[in-house]
Amino acid sequence: MSRSAHPAGPRHADVLTEGHYSAPAADLNVLDEKVWARTVTRDADGALTVGGIAVARLAEEFGTPAYILDETDFRARCRAWADAFGPDADVFYAGKAFLSRAVVRWLKEEGLNLDVCSGGELTTALDAGMPAERIAFHGNNKSVAEIERAVRAGVGRIVLDSFQEIVRVAHIAQRHGIRQRVQIRVTVGVEAHTHEFIATAHEDQKFGIALAGGQAAEAVRRALSLDGLDLIGIHSHIGSQIFDMAGFEVSARRVVQLLAEVRDEHGVELPEIDLGGGLGIAYTSEDDPREPHEIAKALSDIVTRECEAAKLRTPRISVEPGRAIVGPTAFTLYEVGTVKPLEGLRTYVSVDGGMSDNIRTALYDAEYSVALVSRTSDAEPMLVRVVGKHCESGDIVVKDAFLPADLAPGDLIAVPATGAYCRSMASNYNHALRPPVVAVRDGGAHVIVRRETEEDLLRLDVG
Ligand code: LLP
């Protein structure tokens, strides 16, 4: 199959050409553990269960479509990241992937920190009791009100994204009589793709301050000169859904070079570096993600090596995985509404959701898997396109996949690996009601984000 499509955006890659789908798996009933949440299995009747609960029960109790999130898996992934990086590093979960109050509580209990990138995410984090010092505040255009709130709450760090923001945060902190801990986000001239990276002189994008042309060095100079700021380190985030560690290596090397320049110019060794998020997950059986301990080792080796070469004390490393923690822990459960064979082409399977609950296929040409989950089937594989119920022909959930040929209205199908950037990017297009997120654990299921209702829609529409 062509792997040229890049989930971070069509500008990065060619669009999949028609007909570039894999051959069907030998047995469509087998659930590839790479793409499914950890407690997913089939019960004796062939129905998919998660956390010990059969999907038919979940559908009956909570309706479809619904995001079903495996809390046991979420917590296990948090622990795996925390253990892999150890006590001398910090893991910040990137809340933009999916955030709710329950998620904040789980993160708190599992010892993770939290990266927020808006006032709304900050409110959710604080409301659910995340200690402010464990919160990092990101964003390329934080409002004055958002900065005020973050400073007053006492967030552990604000990641500065522009020259204007350096001054803005410094003034606000000074007004509140504090020195705000900050990092400067730099762009290192590396653009990472799923299976490759490109090193360019400049990154033509909106985030951060370029290392190129001495801009980042100038930002450090200004931040060090302002009383309201306590500059604790440098931040770099190079992209998303990345499998190749080479981009991180170049990024780490360039950030360490900047630390050495700062030491030479100011006599200050900045104590921290943050290498961002972006680690890839398996959406289909063809993806091969790295385990957290491999990632931790690769990053810490490169930083240690570069620091030794530059005769710098090794800084404390932090990372910000979002997708790699929550992505694999959830699947979207849909009911099949119509099955429409198009002679010589493929069969269109319409489900009761679509681009309003998963925009990633339409937006990024992202690839997903799909399985019949309410039962098993021995029928022949048929080539399908899973589509939603929206008034738009680009309303595609899974572009090319195989499902059993006896698929019928009323069957439940599920799309795995929808924990990240699906509910958080969901919309009300066509006045769709955003689905609930149901957390399952040890035979129990409960709603952590409820389904929207028509009353919710009308409440905002003030006439
Ligand atoms: N840190 C920073 C500064 C980020 O900008 C991001 C993601 C992350 C961490 C987390 O990246 P992750 O580990 O989740 O890949 N909507 C797109 C992804 C956009 C990511 C934006 N920044 C998607 O659905 O693929």
Side-chain angles (χ1 to χ4, degrees):
M1 176 189 276
S2 160
R3 304 295 303 156
S4 62
H6 187 252
R11 95 183 161 82
H12 294 273
D14 304 322
V15 170
L16 269 184
T17 49
E18 289 299 323
H20 273 242
Y21 40 82
S22 315
D27 181 351
L28 291 184
N29 300 311
V30 173
L31 300 170
D32 183 349
E33 60 183 33
K34 247 203 304 191
V35 298
W36 291 92
R38 229 164 270 191
T39 72
V40 163
T41 180
R42 283 197 193 266
D43 65 16
D45 299 331
L48 183 149
T49 72
V50 56
I53 307 177
V55 281
R57 216 189 98 195
L58 292 169
E60 201 177 287
E61 197 171 335
F62 303 105
T64 55
Y67 304 103
I68 310 293
L69 197 160
D70 182 346
E71 179 183 339
T72 306
D73 192 13
F74 186 96
R75 287 177 180 271
R77 286 175 196 275
C78 289
R79 283 196 294 277
W81 277 86
D83 291 349
F85 279 83
D88 298 327
D90 298 299
V91 180
F92 286 77
Y93 168 76
K96 65 207 85 183
F98 172 63
L99 197 65
S100 76
R101 289 190 280 200
V103 162
V104 174
R105 283 195 297 275
W106 302 341
L107 295 168
K108 194 172 128 192
E109 286 163 17
E110 302 301 341
L112 263 63
N113 308 288
L114 176 59
D115 140 12
V116 300
C117 68
S118 69
E121 289 184 1
L122 179 62
T123 299
T124 305
L126 293 172
D127 185 81
M130 179 58 84
E133 64 272 15
R134 282 166 61 181
I135 299 176
F137 190 28
H138 270 282
N140 67 301
N141 187 19
K142 307 166 191 79
S143 72
V144 168
E146 286 172 325
I147 298 170
E148 286 267 2
R149 195 137 45 99
V151 166
R152 262 191 285 119
V155 298
R157 62 176 69 161
I158 296 180
V159 183
L160 302 173
D161 200 88
S162 66
F163 283 101
Q164 286 92 349
E165 206 174 71
I166 293 174
V167 176
R168 222 170 265 161
V169 173
H171 280 168
I172 292 170
Q174 236 178 333
R175 218 175 42 242
H176 288 272
I178 64 152
R179 289 186 77 210
Q180 174 63 49
R181 288 159 55 87
V182 294
Q183 292 188 336
I184 293 175
R185 177 165 174 178
V186 301
T187 41
V188 294
V190 167
E191 183 176 309
H193 287 216
T194 295
H195 291 290
E196 53 176 330
F197 77 96
I198 298 172
T200 53
H202 296 276
E203 273 194 81
D204 188 1
Q205 48 99 349
K206 69 175 183 171
F207 292 108
I209 298 174
L211 279 178
Q215 295 212 53
E218 176 58 22
V220 169
R221 225 167 274 141
R222 293 194 196 175
L224 287 175
S225 74
L226 292 167
D227 285 341
L229 303 182
D230 175 13
L231 180 63
I232 58 166
I234 301 297
H235 182 286
S236 160
H237 171 79
I238 57 169
S240 230
Q241 184 62 1
I242 304 165
F243 294 107
D244 183 351
M245 294 303 290
F248 287 101
E249 293 208 4
V250 174
S251 161
R253 195 172 307 134
R254 292 184 180 172
V255 168
V256 171
Q257 269 164 19
L258 178 62
L259 293 189
E261 281 169 41
V262 172
R263 187 253 338 257
D264 295 344
E265 184 179 339
H266 306 280
V268 175
E269 290 199 28
L270 298 178
E272 297 192 18
I273 65 175
D274 190 308
L275 294 172
L279 288 314
I281 63 164
Y283 284 103
T284 74
S285 297
E286 292 174 33
D287 294 322
D288 252 324
R290 305 271 190 123
E291 292 296 322
H293 67 266
E294 292 175 74
I295 295 160
K297 184 167 183 329
L299 294 183
S300 113
D301 283 356
I302 172 89
V303 172
T304 309
R305 198 166 66 232
E306 293 299 316
C307 286
E308 273 169 12
K311 300 199 168 40
L312 277 169
R313 268 195 306 276
T314 306
R316 193 175 174 87
I317 299 176
S318 49
V319 286
E320 298 170 335
R323 185 192 322 263
I325 291 178
V326 72
T329 68
F331 59 82
T332 314
L333 185 61
Y334 299 103
E335 185 178 301
V336 173
T338 68
V339 179
K340 193 184 283 183
L342 297 191
E343 202 54 51
L345 291 169
R346 72 189 88 236
T347 297
Y348 277 76
V349 174
S350 294
V351 294
D352 46 359
M355 65 193 301
S356 55
D357 59 71
N358 188 350
I359 191 64
R360 298 191 68 263
T361 307
L363 193 56
Y364 309 129
D365 252 309
E367 290 178 55
Y368 283 92
S369 321
V370 61
L372 169 61
V373 291
S374 45
R375 61 185 174 92
T376 51
S377 164
D378 294 328
E380 288 296 302
M382 67 173 168
L383 178 64
V384 300
R385 178 160 289 174
V386 180
V387 296
K389 58 183 289 171
H390 295 281
C391 283
E392 172 128 358
S393 41
D395 173 24
I396 296 168
V397 180
V398 186
K399 199 166 183 185
D400 292 304
F402 290 90
L403 284 170
D406 63 352
L407 191 78
D411 278 331
L412 296 175
I413 63 174
V415 174
T418 58
Y421 304 109
C422 287
R423 180 58 181 78
S424 66
M425 294 173 78
S427 77
N428 289 121
Y429 182 43
N430 296 152
H431 283 200
L433 305 172
R434 286 178 293 179
V437 182
V438 178
V440 292
R441 180 185 174 186
D442 300 333
H446 65 281
V447 173
I448 60 170
V449 178
R450 73 159 167 79
R451 184 185 301 285
E452 264 175 342
T453 62
E454 289 180 350
E455 291 74 56
D456 290 327
L457 291 179
L458 292 177
R459 199 170 298 141
L460 297 180
D461 181 343
V462 294

